[in-house]
């Protein structure tokens, strides 16, 4: 996928102490291909690549301590910018109720998202009203009612014989009368955009004067999602987009193009069918997710606040030269413990989600105590040169630490993995500081 391809490009760059203009051109050629393959709009790709190139080729970057990291940082920032820069918040009327109108093609996720949004608002101590404005699709009203019951949010319906325009009008009045502060109007979709649908949506818009018109698009449809957004926007003046089905096998094209093509910010991301699978969209988080960096940036910030930079530099040097020993491992564990629960930290590291999936990489805080016991049972020579730990030594270490040989084996294997991983990521942590510039 996109993340894997970008990681390949960047690991090549990271490995280099010096980066030439040719290296940047080559990397950007690969970034361009990766984005196109992820179904990002070609014009968006062109602009993106030329911006990144322009910023990367400067002398300041080339001469920096870790040029690869600086370029990743540039790509990260530009990706974030592409998706709107910062989080676009949901509008709030100063004359409640705030009216939110949902729009989109059939099957995009309007009804489900309406329910999820109601739940989010309810969590924020609001009193939403769901409005059953799809009178055409069989069981559409029922679907919304079931969602409403599930989260205990009232659902306004006048059945399927009253026009959606009238339903919407009366629903807003109902909210006013009952002191409900958000009105979420679910509407009908079609398989394709057509005149009749647009006309009805425009009329609902006229009678309710919504604060938000959220277009719900299926991220799995890539470029099509962007085209749909573009045509809706030309007729309805959208205020935001909700990207659904981001949990699926999406290539990222919709998320990366929609803002640039339509000018409409993505306000929410839906990541599953469950009622709580909706979250405010954060461009910066999405960018680091696409880069496969987890919350690397926040981890770096945390680390900078907690980790002794001199020690970190020394560790980094050791990792680079593959001199990392079990003594360093123990010390590293002490440092890591200062950052918080190990599971959370691992979640923030790139590539670690995959590593966590590996059966023999058990990580919890209790486990860390056993790990420490094992390392403490090693001799000086064993800690410094893990290669010498043969079977007999493993048996002795297991007995000494009150564990068993399987656990010792697992730790040594884990240590080897870690060494490998560290080599791969060396240069990312510590050393050059944020942005990787010489200091
Ligand atoms: P509507 O026609 O636009 O109202 O779409 P629905 O809300 O009825 O959703 C259509 C289908 O997509 C349903 O089966 C939903 O469960 C599913 N769906 C909606 N959002 C998501 C999502 O974020 N992830 C996944 N995996 N499925 C979703
Ligand atoms: Mg629906």
């Amino acid at each position: 996928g996109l993340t894997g391809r970008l990681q390949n490009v960047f690991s090549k760059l990271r490995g280099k102490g010096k980066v030439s203009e040719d290296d940047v051109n080559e990397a950007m050629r690969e970034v361009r291909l990766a984005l196109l393959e992820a179904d990002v709009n070609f014009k968006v790709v062109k602009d993106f690549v030329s911006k990144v190139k322009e910023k990367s080729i400067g002398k300041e970057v080339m001469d920096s301590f870790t040029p690869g990291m600086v370029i990743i940082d540039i790509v990260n920032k530009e990706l974030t910018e592409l998706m709107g820069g910062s989080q676009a918040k949901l509008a709030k009327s100063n004359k409640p109720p705030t009216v939110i109108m949902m729009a989109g093609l059939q099957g995009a996720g309007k009804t489900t998202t309406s329910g999820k949004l109601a739940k989010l608002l309810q969590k924020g101590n609001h009193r939403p009203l769901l409005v059953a404005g799809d009178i055409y699709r069989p069981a559409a009203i029922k679907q919304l009612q079931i969602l409403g019951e599930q989260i205990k949010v009232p659902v306004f319906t006048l059945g399927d014989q009253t026009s959606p325009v009238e339903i919407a009008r009366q629903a807003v009045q109902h909210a006013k009368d009952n002191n409900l502060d958000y009105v979420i109007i679910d509407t009908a979709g079609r398989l394709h955009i057509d005149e009749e649908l647009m006309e009805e949506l425009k009329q609902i818009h006229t009678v309710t004067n919504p604060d938000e018109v959220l277009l719900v698009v299926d991220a799995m449809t890539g470029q099509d999602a962007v085209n749909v957004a573009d045509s809706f926007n030309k007729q309805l003046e959208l205020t935001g987009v909700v990207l659904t089905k981001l949990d699926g096998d999406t290539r990222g094209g919709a998320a990366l193009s929609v803002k640039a093509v339509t000018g409409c910010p993505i306000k929410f991301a839906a990541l599953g069918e469950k009622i709580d699978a909706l979250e405010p969209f954060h461009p910066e988080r999405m960018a680091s997710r696409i880069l496969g960096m987890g919350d690397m940036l926040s981890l770096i910030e945390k680390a900078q606040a907690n980790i002794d930079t001199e020690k970190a530099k020394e560790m980094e040097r050791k990792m680079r030269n593959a001199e990392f020993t079990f003594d360093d491992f123990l010390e590293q564990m002490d440092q890591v413990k200062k950052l918080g629960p190990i599971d959370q930290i691992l979640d923030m590291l790139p590539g670690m989600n995959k590593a966590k999936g590996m059966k023999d990489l058990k990580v919890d805080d209790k486990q860390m105590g056993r790990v420490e016991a094992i390392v403490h049972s090693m001799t000086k020579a064993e800690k410094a040169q893990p290669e010498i730990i043969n079977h007999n030594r493993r048996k002795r270490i297991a007995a000494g630490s009150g564990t068993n040989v399987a656990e010792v084996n697992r730790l040594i294997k884990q240590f080897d993995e870690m060494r490998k991983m560290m080599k791969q990521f060396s240069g990312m942590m510590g050393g050059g500081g944020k942005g990787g510039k010489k200091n």
Side-chain angles (χ1 to χ4, degrees):
L2 180 57
T3 300
R5 291 196 56 161
L6 291 178
Q7 277 181 330
N8 276 344
V9 179
F10 296 141
S11 70
K12 268 188 236 162
L13 275 183
R14 256 202 326 267
K16 292 188 159 69
K18 279 268 163 246
V19 172
S20 70
E21 193 164 330
D22 280 347
D23 293 332
V24 173
N25 284 332
E26 170 63 13
M28 288 311 126
R29 200 182 64 81
E30 285 173 37
V31 167
R32 184 176 156 273
L33 287 174
L35 290 174
L36 286 174
E37 200 165 279
D39 208 17
V40 180
N41 176 286
F42 78 95
K43 201 178 163 311
V44 173
V45 174
K46 200 166 157 238
D47 290 350
F48 179 82
V49 168
S50 75
K51 258 189 216 157
V52 173
K53 217 187 249 181
E54 194 185 307
K55 292 190 176 165
S56 300
I57 284 180
K59 187 169 158 27
E60 207 184 319
V61 177
M62 305 286 194
D63 289 347
S64 72
F65 184 54
T66 51
M69 272 309 284
V70 182
I71 293 172
I72 296 171
D73 196 43
I74 292 169
V75 171
N76 184 40
K77 290 209 171 96
E78 289 301 322
L79 279 179
T80 305
E81 219 36 59
L82 192 58
M83 290 182 287
S86 56
Q87 194 212 338
K89 295 227 164 68
L90 194 67
K92 188 176 177 204
S93 171
N94 43 22
K95 245 180 72 202
T98 298
V99 177
I100 302 167
M101 180 178 162
M102 311 296 280
L105 295 184
Q106 192 169 311
K110 290 178 299 301
T111 306
T112 316
T113 304
S114 299
K116 291 171 177 173
L117 189 54
K119 163 108 193 193
L120 264 191
L121 287 166
Q122 190 188 44
K123 267 206 211 148
N125 289 322
H126 291 291
R127 297 169 309 281
L129 174 68
L130 284 163
V131 183
D134 181 358
I135 61 166
Y136 308 106
R137 187 160 152 191
I141 298 173
K142 189 83 204 147
Q143 185 190 358
L144 196 66
Q145 283 173 325
I146 290 170
L147 286 168
E149 259 166 53
Q150 195 184 333
I151 56 176
K152 308 230 161 15
V153 165
V155 175
F156 187 91
T157 170
L158 295 174
D160 60 6
Q161 296 302 306
T162 309
S163 86
V165 181
E166 183 57 19
I167 293 170
R169 195 186 62 76
Q170 290 196 31
V172 175
Q173 191 55 49
H174 177 86
K176 279 184 191 155
D177 296 344
N178 291 276
N179 195 28
L180 302 170
D181 59 354
Y182 280 86
V183 177
I184 302 168
I185 307 171
D186 184 24
T187 64
R190 302 280 196 280
L191 289 174
H192 302 283
I193 295 167
D194 67 32
E195 280 297 308
E196 218 180 322
L197 166 73
M198 277 303 170
E199 198 44 50
E200 185 177 293
L201 292 174
K202 281 181 194 167
Q203 284 183 33
I204 294 175
H205 194 285
T206 306
V207 302
T208 61
N209 190 26
D211 303 283
E212 286 279 2
V213 183
L214 295 181
L215 183 76
V216 179
V217 293
D218 179 344
M220 306 245 271
T221 62
Q223 276 306 289
D224 280 343
V226 179
N227 294 335
V228 166
D230 201 29
S231 6
F232 266 88
N233 194 38
K234 284 186 174 125
Q235 305 206 46
L236 255 188
E237 278 197 52
L238 306 174
T239 59
V241 169
V242 180
L243 270 189
T244 62
K245 311 187 191 180
L246 277 171
D247 51 312
D249 187 23
T250 67
R251 288 178 292 167
L256 287 171
S257 320
V258 96
K259 170 70 168 62
V261 173
T262 66
C264 259
I266 301 169
K267 292 201 170 170
F268 293 94
L271 295 125
E273 296 193 71
K274 293 217 182 81
I275 194 82
D276 49 10
L278 184 75
E279 33 183 78
F281 183 81
H282 293 277
E284 67 281 15
R285 287 187 207 164
M286 186 68 184
S288 50
R289 196 182 297 173
I290 287 170
L291 290 176
M293 296 178 76
D295 281 327
M296 189 67 191
L297 306 171
S298 63
L299 182 66
I300 289 176
E301 266 166 31
K302 254 185 141 179
Q304 279 176 341
N306 285 291
I307 284 182
D308 183 328
T309 46
E310 282 310 310
K311 272 188 190 163
K313 274 185 192 164
E314 174 61 12
M315 287 288 176
E316 197 203 331
R317 193 192 58 75
K318 285 184 169 177
M319 289 176 201
R320 271 191 206 284
N321 302 327
E323 286 169 17
F324 195 75
T325 67
F326 266 111
D327 278 318
D328 300 322
F329 181 72
L330 275 185
E331 195 168 309
Q332 194 82 330
M333 271 175 86
D334 280 338
Q335 297 272 2
V336 165
K337 275 193 209 153
K338 292 185 197 154
L339 295 178
I342 188 84
D343 265 341
Q344 276 177 30
I345 301 165
L346 284 184
D347 276 341
M348 290 193 263
L349 285 174
M352 274 298 185
N353 278 333
K354 204 174 77 201
K356 258 172 79 174
M358 289 179 354
K359 277 194 209 71
D360 47 359
L361 237 177
K362 271 215 136 172
V363 278
D364 57 48
D365 292 317
K366 229 191 277 166
Q367 191 73 16
M368 277 175 84
R370 296 178 74 81
V371 164
E372 275 174 329
I374 293 173
V375 179
H376 283 305
S377 296
M378 293 176 184
T379 65
K380 243 179 158 174
E382 287 163 350
K383 280 188 230 168
Q385 267 184 289
E387 302 77 40
I388 65 170
I389 312 179
N390 60 18
H391 184 68
N392 279 337
R393 287 174 186 264
R394 287 176 198 222
K395 272 203 330 219
R396 196 208 73 243
I397 293 168
S401 58
T403 60
N404 54 51
V405 175
E407 266 181 282
V408 175
N409 286 340
R410 196 155 58 216
L411 175 64
I412 291 171
K413 192 165 169 213
Q414 184 178 342
F415 180 80
D416 283 341
E417 291 288 346
M418 194 172 157
R419 260 186 164 178
K420 257 186 252 156
M421 205 114 63
M422 279 169 171
K423 258 190 113 162
Q424 205 176 322
F425 293 130
S426 75
M428 291 185 81
M429 300 278 292
K434 198 170 192 181
K437 268 180 221 146
K438 220 179 252 176
N439 45 18

